[in-house]
Amino acid sequence: MVSTFEVLAEPRRREILDLLYAGERHVGELVERLGMPQPGVSKHLKVLRAAGLVEVRQEAQRRWYRLRLQPLVEVDQWLRPYRDLWERHLDALERHLDAMPEEGGR
Amino acid sequence: MVSTFEVLAEPRRREILDLLYAGERHVGELVERLGMPQPGVSKHLKVLRAAGLVEVRQEAQRRWYRLRLQPLVEVDQWLRPYRDLWERHLDALERHLDAMPEEGGR
DNA sequence: AGCGTATATACCGGTAGGGGTATATTCCTC
DNA sequence: GAGGAATATACCCCTACCGGTATATACGCT
């Protein structure tokens, strides 16, 4: 079984999740928006499905994919203690941050 | 440059971060606790360092590693919209969760 | 200067993962 | 049931990554 972190390591897969954030999408839509060949998209979707990050609904030939949040909740849980660190000690965070000349943003 | 997600994909590296969560550690300590050969640990530390997830302080032959939170903050920022989803619509989360027969826990 | 300790780096072999192309599968329509 | 649309799967190639072993580098001590 593949860990959620491994699945999220692929930029394309995070892109897919970001697209599904807005709501259900069928494969063709994803192919178009990602600008990558359909088999590649299907392959990533398979990985995402295996990890429980998406689920499928079939409608005629179309397959509609949508998010499943649960694995992300687990990632969030792993992150939580660290988040507590920088939220509780804001000064410590600044000590961490001031080492960076500038911040890249998103 | 390697994305933080790729770096976190490695279980050993997350273990290292979890160990550093408690505070500074030198390499030998990490080697002992992880039960893996020293060169492997050093290699992972190099990756973590390149990603800005740890920083080093030298003291004689010892190298003390400690956490840098900033990249984790960025991961948290990526996660935030999704977290908002499940925090705002708790019922929606439950709809997501009830698809699972049982929960594996951590 | 020489030795021991602590850590990093070089090198090698195996392997899993991603891209690309071709093909199979499924379903709808006529 | 034939054809076409939508998606999945099989196969191949290639590269990046991980583990392991050997070696280099840096530092302190005597």
Side-chain angles (χ1 to χ4, degrees):
Chain A
M1 205 206 69
V2 191
S3 85
T4 305
F5 281 103
E6 289 173 62
V7 176
L8 294 180
E10 251 294 317
R12 306 284 198 163
R13 289 197 282 260
R14 292 199 302 278
E15 271 187 77
I16 291 177
L17 295 183
D18 287 341
L19 287 172
L20 294 181
Y21 179 83
E24 269 191 339
R25 293 268 159 79
H26 62 85
V27 182
E29 241 176 315
L30 296 172
V31 168
E32 185 187 1
R33 304 227 180 195
L34 293 169
M36 77 178 289
Q38 173 267 317
V41 174
S42 284
K43 203 173 171 185
H44 283 309
L45 286 171
K46 184 178 188 173
V47 176
L48 287 166
R49 211 171 349 126
L53 278 159
V54 301
E55 57 187 357
V56 208
R57 178 174 66 83
Q58 189 157 359
E59 180 184 300
Q61 309 97 333
R62 294 254 165 94
R63 308 239 176 151
W64 295 86
Y65 282 84
R66 66 171 175 180
L67 269 181
R68 283 194 67 250
L69 295 172
Q70 214 260 337
L72 293 181
V73 174
E74 289 167 12
V75 170
D76 189 66
Q77 282 169 2
W78 179 83
L79 205 56
R80 168 152 319 178
Y82 299 98
R83 186 166 59 238
D84 289 350
L85 265 194
W86 73 71
E87 280 180 355
R88 284 186 192 161
H89 320 285
L90 285 182
D91 50 321
L93 174 60
E94 262 139 38
R95 250 185 284 120
H96 279 292
L97 288 179
D98 65 10
M100 322 225 71
E102 46 229 9
E103 164 171 29
R106 230 257 242 205
Chain B
M1 206 205 68
V2 192
S3 85
T4 305
F5 282 102
E6 290 173 61
V7 176
L8 295 179
E10 250 295 316
R12 306 285 197 163
R13 289 197 282 259
R14 293 200 301 279
E15 270 187 79
I16 291 177
L17 294 183
D18 287 341
L19 287 172
L20 294 180
Y21 178 84
E24 270 190 339
R25 293 269 159 79
H26 61 83
V27 182
E29 240 176 315
L30 296 173
V31 168
E32 185 187 1
R33 303 227 181 197
L34 294 168
M36 76 178 288
Q38 174 267 317
V41 174
S42 284
K43 205 173 174 189
H44 283 309
L45 286 171
K46 184 179 189 173
V47 176
L48 288 167
R49 212 173 346 127
L53 277 160
V54 302
E55 58 187 357
V56 208
R57 180 175 65 84
Q58 190 157 359
E59 181 184 298
Q61 310 99 329
R62 293 256 164 93
R63 307 239 176 151
W64 295 85
Y65 281 84
R66 63 170 175 181
L67 268 181
R68 282 193 67 250
L69 295 172
Q70 214 261 336
L72 293 181
V73 174
E74 289 166 13
V75 170
D76 188 66
Q77 282 169 2
W78 178 83
L79 206 56
R80 169 152 321 179
Y82 299 99
R83 185 166 60 237
D84 288 349
L85 266 194
W86 74 70
E87 282 180 354
R88 284 186 192 160
H89 318 284
L90 284 183
D91 50 323
L93 174 61
E94 262 140 37
R95 251 185 284 121
H96 279 293
L97 288 180
D98 65 9
M100 326 223 69
E102 46 229 10
E103 164 171 30
R106 229 251 244 209

